[in-house]
Structures are given as structure tokens and as C-alpha cells.
Amino acid sequence: MTKKERYAAVVAYFSESMPVAETELSYGSPYELLVAVILSAQCTDKRVNMVTPALFLAFPTVQDMAKAKVEEVLPYIRSVSYPNNKAKHLVGMARRVVEQFGGEVPAERKDLITLPGVGRKTANVICAVIYNQPTMAVDTHVYRVSKRIGLAPSSAKTPLQVETELVKHIAADIIPKAHHWLILHGRYVCTARKPKCDSCGLTEVCRYHRTLSGRRKEQEASL
């Protein structure tokens, strides 16, 4: 199977099985999504969604967050990973958005990555989800699933290498949705330790599954 054929099969499968694919983070504005994505680094969306309602009630706008002190934000996010650093990032991010971008979350990746706590992955999420730009955020799920299926070469060593490959082969207009396809597939089906191949509709095109099947046949032949 060629790479083009594999990509076509994967897109066709998800288009049919997951026509609606969206972030599982709860948010009501670009500011709230940016806060949620910063908090989600090395933390589950479920946990983030548990802390953000009270956080957004206390700091409903980016201007409110910009006026806050780190020690005022910290109690609201103690249960997420790395709360001290993230509290600093949230306040620093908000102040920069207010001072440099007029209180509006910027729409360009080059501007977003200048904000405290915002790297390329977070910037790509904002660009895709809020501004519907063809940016592919590669988190651990996207990285793992892309390499397992064969959308990215097994030799890819960095998220940027995987991102470059995905953006090259997926049509621009569906990249924002494809990002969620891969995340959700990795979160619920192609899990890290025990992928649920028996309930996966991509086994026919999956490089990882083909390798597993080959190993099983070799083991059976040796018995």
C-alpha cells in the first residue's frame, strides 16, 4: 500500500465513523480555550474541565487574569500538573495579550508562541480550533497514532517531523478536524499500552497491526 492510499483510507474511515470531531476541553471564548490548553499540558482534559469553571468565574476575561497575582490563580489550579508554573504562565500570558495584542488572542502562530506557556503545539490548537487554520497540533496521541498507522515514518523522532508529514498529505480544509480524529482515536482506541485493535476499523491499513499479525503467524509456525 502506498502512502497516498493509506492516507486516503484513513481520511475516508474517519469521515464516515467520526464526522463530528471536536476538542473535549470546555470553553466559551478564545481566551478560555487558550487557558484550558495551557493547563492541559501533561494533564487530562477531564481534569482541566474540572478546574476551569471556578477559574473562569473568578477571572472571566483576559483583562481580569492580567490583573491577577500568581498566588491568586494558584488555588484554582492546584489539582492540575505543574500548578506553580502554569499559574505563572496564565498570568504572564494574559498580561502579554492585553499589552501587546489589545486584549485579543492572536490568530498567528508566530504571535501565539511569544506568549508564556504557549509552544508550537498549543499555538497550533488555537489556530485550528478558533481560527480554522490548517495547523496540526501533535500531542502524544497524534504522535503515537500517526507512527503506528504509518502516516508518519517510524524513523520520525520529533513532533515537528510528524506534523510536517501530516500537513503535507492531508487536505488543508480537513486538517483541523483530522487533528481531533487522531487525538480521539489515540485516546479511546489506539491507546498507548494496550491498543484496542479488535475494535479498530483501521487494521487493514495499519502498519502496526500488520507487524503484530506477522509476529503472531511466525510464533504459530514455530509451535
Side-chain angles (χ1 to χ4, degrees), residues 19-209:
V20 177
E22 302 172 333
T23 180
E24 293 187 313
L25 291 169
S26 298
Y27 71 98
S29 68
Y31 154 70
E32 289 187 358
L33 180 62
L34 182 53
V35 168
V37 177
I38 290 173
L39 292 176
S40 72
Q42 298 183 33
C43 186
T44 65
D45 288 2
K46 182 179 180 180
R47 169 57 56 182
V48 172
N49 288 338
M50 291 172 66
V51 306
T52 50
L55 179 67
F56 294 150
L57 188 63
F59 310 101
T61 69
V62 70
Q63 289 82 4
D64 293 313
M65 183 67 77
K67 295 174 185 176
K69 296 179 180 179
V70 171
E71 53 267 30
E72 293 175 326
V73 175
L74 184 58
Y76 293 94
I77 64 170
R78 283 194 184 279
S79 64
V80 306
S81 58
Y82 308 106
N84 293 296
N85 284 338
K86 288 179 180 178
K88 294 176 184 177
H89 289 157
L90 292 182
V91 173
M93 172 275 293
R95 289 176 180 171
R96 183 163 177 82
V97 168
V98 170
E99 294 167 4
Q100 300 295 322
F101 301 102
E104 299 292 330
V105 173
E108 298 295 328
R109 183 168 58 200
K110 64 180 178 59
D111 294 325
L112 284 162
I113 61 176
T114 68
L115 304 177
V118 178
R120 186 180 181 91
K121 183 194 76 174
T122 297
N124 280 347
V125 171
I126 299 303
C127 288
V129 175
I130 297 298
Y131 300 111
N132 200 36
Q133 296 176 17
T135 54
M136 175 62 71
V138 178
D139 67 353
T140 56
H141 296 301
V142 176
Y143 183 81
R144 178 180 68 255
V145 169
S146 298
K147 293 182 65 174
R148 276 184 178 171
I149 294 175
L151 300 178
S154 55
S155 60
K157 301 299 182 184
T158 67
L160 181 56
Q161 289 176 321
V162 172
E163 176 190 331
T164 301
E165 196 73 12
L166 293 173
V167 171
K168 185 193 307 181
H169 294 284
I170 298 176
D173 62 322
I174 63 171
I175 285 176
K177 182 183 289 188
H179 158 69
H180 297 300
W181 284 341
L182 296 172
I183 285 179
L184 296 172
H185 190 66
R187 187 172 291 165
Y188 298 112
V189 180
C190 194
T191 51
R193 294 186 178 181
K194 293 183 178 180
K196 302 171 184 177
C197 296
D198 290 343
S199 59
C200 177
L202 290 170
T203 52
E204 292 297 319
V205 300
C206 179
R207 184 172 60 197
Y208 175 80
H209 185 264

